[in-house]
Amino acid sequence: MSATIIDGKVVSQEIREEVKKLAAVLKEEHGITPGLAFILVGNNPASEVYVRNKAKACEALGFYSITEKMPEDVSQQSVIDKVAEFNEDGRVHGILVQMPLPKHMNEYEVIEAVHPSKDVDALHPFNIGMYSQAKSWDEIMKKRLLLPCTPYGMMILLEKYGIEVSGKKAVVVGRSNLGGKPTAALLLSKNATVTIAHSRTENLRSVCRDADILVAVIGKANFIKKDFIKPGAAVLDVGINRTDSGLVGDVDFEAAKEVAGWITPVPGGVGAMTISMLMKNTYMAALRKAEGTNSKHEILNSKQIRNLKPHKETRFDLEERTERFSKRVIHFVDAVPKDIADNEIVKQVVRSAGSIGANYIEANEALSRKDFLMRAKISRKEAKETRYWLRLIKCPPSQEDERDALVEEATEIMKILGAIVTKSSQ
Ligand code: NAP
């Protein structure tokens, strides 16, 4: 039996065509062109080729791209300053600092300088946390999380070839932060039973032989032999190794394809997907910007968003308080003799007093921080309007104390809402 060869080039092309169409719609509907900024430090020839290929992909999809080249001996702070500049640049939705960085730099510190919403490599701890804590692949997709490109590409290959993941045993050989760990997290989100193996794993061959899905992210040419593979398993080879006989993977492809059910070649397999997934991530980052869900806080889940809002008791206290206030206002204006009060002003005061509470309730039900803020601000504006109209109401002297008390209460509610808006904007 010979394995089905998973053609990464074909799937990659499909992804690019899909992203190109989606980006055209984004441009038409929101006037936004996805943009990607590259920072290339030093003269590593492989890195230069990678960045050039990624920039070419941007061009083919109609994305904006910009490449900042920096000398090998540049300071880490200068790289971080450049990242900060791109963080602020509205044309840029994704920032990619090409790795590896020169030895005198701490890669983690540079990665952490990238704003999580622009971290299209998904290397920032915030994004790692987001996809790692997601309960399912569906949740990851629904929240449009940024995913590390190569592992993301593998999930798409499995999907496109109809390879069942849920309930299957997956073994990932390699535990690097770029390769093995994120791959394991994504397989887990798809309900695989995942084992991560590494250089200290005992009986590696038998661990691998147990796998329905075997992923090799090792960096050792032809390391995974035929007898490591369970007959019929899906074998995904991430390794890229330069040898005298050309580019080869971590799996002994010619022999392995006789026993595997599916297998990715090198080149033309997993590696072919990486740039397409980078394009997809950049499109996603631009889409989230268009939808107004593109800040570090705005991509928190709804429970976290709620925790950013005022304390639960304050929320309900204020809901009750505005409701009580609204009733008092209605009671007050009902008691003002019709020939004294101006009917238009009465209508305004009743409308605005009712809107304070209604908008505040909607704010508490909003699922995004942006919606919450918008509703809370409207609520504050209505409190201000209420105060304004109350001051204009003419009433008999016997009702003036009640009117002044209502003006005071409107002022108080306005101040509380102002504090909530300020706290939630931070
Ligand atoms: P890495 O950081 O060097 O990690 C290699 C992993 O393999 C480590 O976890 C290591 O275990 C494990 N390993 C090494 N020797 C082993 C052995 N004899 N038995 C079992 N495990 C062993 O490399 P990486 O960045 O993950 O990359 C791995 C390969 O994937 C490279 O060839 C790289 O070029 C390729 N890659 C390709 C793409 C792409 O296609 N776009 C993306 C990323 C990586 P320990 O942790 O115990 O040392």
Side-chain angles (χ1 to χ4, degrees):
M1 186 185 80
S2 195
T4 300
I5 309 297
I6 297 178
D7 194 333
K9 281 195 262 181
V10 168
V11 179
S12 170
Q13 195 49 39
E14 282 172 22
I15 299 285
R16 286 192 205 194
E17 276 157 24
E18 176 200 319
V19 172
K20 189 172 183 177
K21 281 187 202 144
L22 291 169
V25 174
L26 186 70
K27 170 96 180 140
E28 201 180 300
E29 289 183 357
H30 297 276
I32 291 180
T33 300
L36 184 49
F38 303 100
I39 298 179
L40 176 61
V41 186
N43 303 307
N44 179 330
S47 294
E48 280 175 358
V49 173
Y50 290 144
V51 168
R52 210 165 40 238
N53 288 343
K54 288 167 190 172
K56 266 193 207 158
C58 285
E59 200 185 331
L61 298 190
F63 285 15
Y64 164 77
S65 84
I66 177 169
T67 301
E68 180 70 29
K69 287 189 178 177
M70 303 181 106
E72 179 84 19
D73 60 356
V74 71
S75 71
Q76 176 171 313
Q77 191 53 48
S78 303
V79 176
I80 288 177
D81 289 346
K82 187 42 78 180
V83 168
E85 222 178 90
F86 286 137
N87 280 341
E88 294 301 317
D89 189 335
R91 296 166 304 175
V92 170
H93 306 100
I95 302 169
L96 189 142
V97 184
Q98 185 62 45
M99 300 294 165
L101 287 172
K103 295 254 178 309
H104 65 279
M105 291 188 199
N106 179 331
E107 289 182 347
Y108 292 106
E109 285 175 16
V110 176
I111 288 166
E112 282 179 29
V114 177
H115 192 282
S117 65
K118 296 194 178 189
D119 168 41
V120 283
D121 249 349
L123 295 176
H124 192 289
F126 179 85
N127 288 320
I128 297 171
M130 288 305 281
Y131 69 72
S132 300
Q133 74 176 21
K135 285 199 186 68
S136 66
W137 182 254
D138 279 355
E139 188 182 322
I140 288 175
M141 290 293 110
K142 216 155 117 196
K143 287 186 179 162
R144 297 184 174 137
L145 300 182
L146 294 174
L147 298 177
C149 303
T150 305
Y152 187 10
M154 275 189 268
M155 298 308 118
I156 300 298
L157 289 177
L158 290 168
E159 225 169 78
K160 292 273 180 181
Y161 278 81
I163 299 166
E164 186 61 54
V165 179
S166 183
K168 300 294 176 194
K169 283 187 185 163
V171 173
V172 180
V173 189
R175 56 173 160 180
S176 69
N177 289 330
L178 273 176
K181 277 188 205 160
T183 302
L186 298 191
L187 285 166
L188 191 62
S189 79
K190 281 180 166 270
N191 298 322
T193 302
V194 185
T195 301
I196 304 181
H198 44 79
S199 66
R200 310 286 175 88
T201 300
E202 288 179 3
N203 304 322
L204 184 66
R205 185 186 324 183
S206 71
V207 171
C208 291
R209 252 192 100 81
D210 219 17
D212 301 305
I213 298 167
L214 179 62
V215 183
V217 207
I218 309 164
K220 288 199 165 145
N222 302 322
F223 181 82
I224 300 287
K225 307 292 182 203
K226 186 178 176 180
D227 60 352
F228 282 47
I229 298 165
K230 177 177 176 177
V235 179
L236 301 171
D237 189 353
V238 189
I240 301 175
N241 308 291
R242 279 165 222 286
T243 67
D244 294 343
S245 47
L247 218 57
V248 299
D250 290 342
V251 179
D252 182 3
F253 180 78
E254 287 307 323
K257 77 176 198 296
E258 297 309 319
V259 56
W262 297 266
I263 190 165
T264 58
V266 177
V270 173
M273 294 294 291
T274 304
I275 295 185
S276 296
M277 302 326 293
L278 176 70
M279 296 299 118
K280 178 115 195 208
N281 273 348
T282 306
Y283 161 75
M284 276 305 177
L287 175 68
R288 291 200 322 212
K289 167 96 193 265
E291 289 176 339
T293 53
N294 208 7
S295 85
K296 183 172 175 175
H297 296 303
E298 282 155 358
I299 53 179
L300 297 178
N301 67 33
S302 57
K303 191 172 161 213
Q304 288 165 316
I305 290 164
R306 281 168 192 280
N307 289 341
L308 288 169
K309 291 177 191 171
H311 189 270
K312 209 173 156 209
E313 279 171 25
T314 320
R315 283 168 46 199
F316 295 117
D317 284 355
L318 194 59
E319 278 180 19
E320 270 177 35
R321 189 166 175 174
T322 49
E323 196 189 347
R324 258 200 323 271
F325 174 65
S326 181
K327 281 185 189 154
R328 271 176 65 193
V329 169
I330 292 167
H331 187 258
F332 164 76
V333 294
D334 269 354
V336 178
K338 300 281 170 285
D339 55 330
I340 296 181
D342 179 320
N343 199 28
E344 246 338 280
I345 296 175
V346 167
K347 269 196 212 156
Q348 292 291 358
V349 87
V350 170
R351 186 202 60 76
S352 53
S355 293
I356 307 170
N359 277 289
Y360 189 63
I361 289 167
E362 282 191 42
N364 279 333
E365 282 166 1
L367 281 184
S368 78
R369 186 184 174 90
K370 189 180 169 224
D371 285 349
F372 171 79
L373 266 175
M374 190 184 77
R375 288 285 164 200
K377 279 181 186 167
I378 295 174
S379 196
R380 180 185 57 178
K381 184 176 144 280
E382 294 294 355
K384 197 171 172 187
E385 297 250 312
T386 308
R387 186 174 70 158
Y388 172 79
W389 292 113
L390 274 170
R391 279 179 173 154
L392 289 184
I393 276 195
K394 288 197 190 92
C395 62
S398 58
Q399 285 187 289
E400 278 175 1
D401 281 354
E402 176 62 6
R403 184 195 58 197
D404 293 347
L406 288 172
V407 168
E408 221 169 272
E409 177 67 351
T411 309
E412 197 56 33
I413 290 174
M414 199 177 90
K415 278 188 195 160
I416 296 169
L417 283 162
I420 288 169
V421 167
T422 309
K423 185 172 170 243
S424 303
S425 308
Q426 284 161 359

